Amino acid sequence: MKKQIVEILRKNQLSITDGRKKILELFLESDSALAHHDIEEKIQEKFDRVTVYRTLQAFMDKGIIHTIPTADNSIKYALCKDDCEQGHHHDDHIHFVCKQCGQTICLDEVHVPSVRLPQGYHADQVEVVVSGLCKECN
Amino acid sequence: MKKQIVEILRKNQLSITDGRKKILELFLESDSALAHHDIEEKIQEKFDRVTVYRTLQAFMDKGIIHTIPTADNSIKYALCKDDCEQGHHHDDHIHFVCKQCGQTICLDEVHVPSVRLPQGYHADQVEVVVSGLCKECN
DNA sequence: AAAAAAATGCAACTTTGTTGCAAAGATACC
DNA sequence: GGTATCTTTGCAACAAAGTTGCATTTTTTT
Ligand SMILES: [Mn+2]
Ligand SMILES: [Mn+2]
Ligand SMILES: [Zn+2]
Ligand SMILES: [Zn+2]
């Protein structure tokens, strides 16, 4: 695990720091997406709030994590499983938000459906967020 | 128009106040979704920030407007065209965000596709947000 | 027109996010 | 390993966004 973490950081040309290792570990351990707030809560050692922001930004830039849109002003972040790179994400899976337990989950095996847009529109990216009851809560 | 505004408020059992009339007018006039911030900008008369929050909340509760999730912490709001009521929204259309002009648009004529979830999951609601180039910017 | 009910504005506060800069830490090179 | 260089961190100070209680104003009801 520790090995894998350093591996990922190195592969992405990020210097290996305690904060980055810890936050990346959090993502690797978690099976649901994390908001900035969740990260600050879950980290026992305290890293400055600003560091967490900057780390998330760095991970985003490198294509290590991706965002999941929400309607409550609390962007969620999750590991990219696919081959995302520096500046280009290719996460084409859908996301699930459980109304019971509140967890946000990447359903990597469910690909985003293709949507037919009206004449003139050009789609770059399709985000699908399904809410309801998850496997556990159902 | 003025007539329609009062009509909508009355139908939803909201008392007719200047703030609500003005904000509802804004939504009726706009062809793109509005964030809280946009509303404060567009209103010339100044209503207190808190009033705007409370108005949006009231409109949401009544099913007059619906939210559109974003990945940048700026929830967008738009009029419900369908038959949304007190507590139950039935907006099953997709949303489009233009990367050029930044506008968020309800594509009322494009229904959300059905997604097949893994065993055990139960979907209540499907949100689809497509981003790319809009009709105008393409 | 008066009474009752509801919405507003204000103040005070909390939470969230941003920026510049000095200190600390990581990497590269010898 | 030891040192120079480059990067990251924490802190402070700030800005923006969101919440709550309460007195005043406005709207609705009678
Ligand atoms: Mn995902
Ligand atoms: Mn819509
Ligand atoms: Zn659940
Ligand atoms: Zn556009």
Side-chain angles (χ1 to χ4, degrees):
Chain A
M1 174 66 114
K2 297 290 180 192
K3 203 83 178 221
Q4 187 192 1
I5 291 168
V6 171
E7 180 61 29
I8 293 172
L9 292 176
R10 184 157 293 145
K11 193 177 68 193
N12 286 283
Q13 303 166 82
L14 289 170
S15 29
I16 320 290
T17 68
D18 291 348
R20 286 172 179 170
K21 280 191 286 186
K22 187 62 201 168
I23 292 175
L24 187 47
E25 184 178 19
L26 229 54
F27 277 111
L28 285 162
E29 281 173 350
S30 174
D31 39 30
S32 64
L34 302 170
H36 175 212
H37 179 257
D38 302 326
I39 293 170
E40 293 210 279
E41 259 184 356
K42 293 209 178 193
I43 288 184
Q44 55 269 47
E45 308 122 88
K46 285 163 223 59
F47 295 99
D48 195 88
R49 215 153 44 84
V50 179
T51 302
V52 176
Y53 282 116
R54 292 196 270 225
T55 303
L56 289 173
Q57 189 56 60
F59 286 3
M60 276 290 295
D61 291 348
K62 294 297 186 175
I64 299 173
I65 57 175
H66 63 273
T67 52
I68 302 164
T70 69
D72 74 332
N73 280 358
S74 68
I75 309 172
K76 293 278 202 302
Y77 301 87
L79 283 180
C80 296
K81 309 271 170 45
D82 313 275
D83 53 335
C84 297
E85 303 150 26
Q86 183 89 17
H88 276 296
H89 285 260
H90 304 96
D91 306 282
D92 63 339
H93 57 273
I94 74 162
H95 295 107
F96 190 88
V97 179
C98 180
K99 284 178 175 171
Q100 184 95 64
C101 65
Q103 291 202 326
T104 298
I105 307 163
C106 294
L107 295 180
D108 299 285
E109 64 276 26
V110 185
H111 286 218
V112 296
S114 65
V115 282
R116 190 174 298 281
L117 296 175
Q119 195 66 35
Y121 288 87
H122 175 260
D124 270 7
Q125 199 193 12
V126 180
E127 291 275 6
V128 176
V129 180
V130 180
S131 49
L133 287 178
C134 79
K135 213 165 43 181
E136 320 295 327
C137 298
N138 202 352
Chain B
M1 174 67 113
K2 296 290 180 193
K3 204 82 179 221
Q4 188 191 0
I5 290 168
V6 171
E7 180 61 29
I8 293 172
L9 292 175
R10 185 157 292 147
K11 193 176 69 194
N12 286 281
Q13 303 166 82
L14 289 171
S15 29
I16 320 292
T17 68
D18 292 349
R20 286 173 179 170
K21 278 192 287 187
K22 187 64 202 167
I23 292 175
L24 188 46
E25 185 177 19
L26 229 54
F27 277 112
L28 285 162
E29 280 172 352
S30 174
D31 39 31
S32 63
L34 302 169
H36 174 196
H37 181 256
D38 302 326
I39 293 170
E40 292 209 279
E41 260 184 356
K42 293 209 176 192
I43 287 184
Q44 56 269 47
E45 310 120 88
K46 283 164 223 60
F47 296 98
D48 195 89
R49 216 152 43 84
V50 180
T51 301
V52 177
Y53 282 116
R54 293 196 270 226
T55 302
L56 289 173
Q57 189 56 59
F59 286 3
M60 277 291 294
D61 292 348
K62 296 295 187 176
I64 298 173
I65 57 176
H66 62 275
T67 51
I68 302 164
T70 69
D72 73 333
N73 281 356
S74 68
I75 308 172
K76 292 277 201 302
Y77 301 87
L79 283 180
C80 296
K81 309 270 169 46
D82 313 276
D83 53 336
C84 297
E85 302 151 28
Q86 184 87 19
H88 276 296
H89 286 259
H90 305 95
D91 306 282
D92 63 341
H93 58 273
I94 74 162
H95 295 107
F96 189 89
V97 180
C98 181
K99 284 178 176 171
Q100 184 94 64
C101 64
Q103 290 204 326
T104 299
I105 307 163
C106 294
L107 295 180
D108 298 286
E109 64 275 28
V110 185
H111 287 218
V112 296
S114 65
V115 282
R116 190 174 299 281
L117 297 176
Q119 195 66 35
Y121 288 87
H122 175 259
D124 269 7
Q125 200 192 10
V126 180
E127 292 274 4
V128 176
V129 181
V130 180
S131 49
L133 286 179
C134 79
K135 212 164 44 181
E136 320 296 328
C137 298
N138 203 354

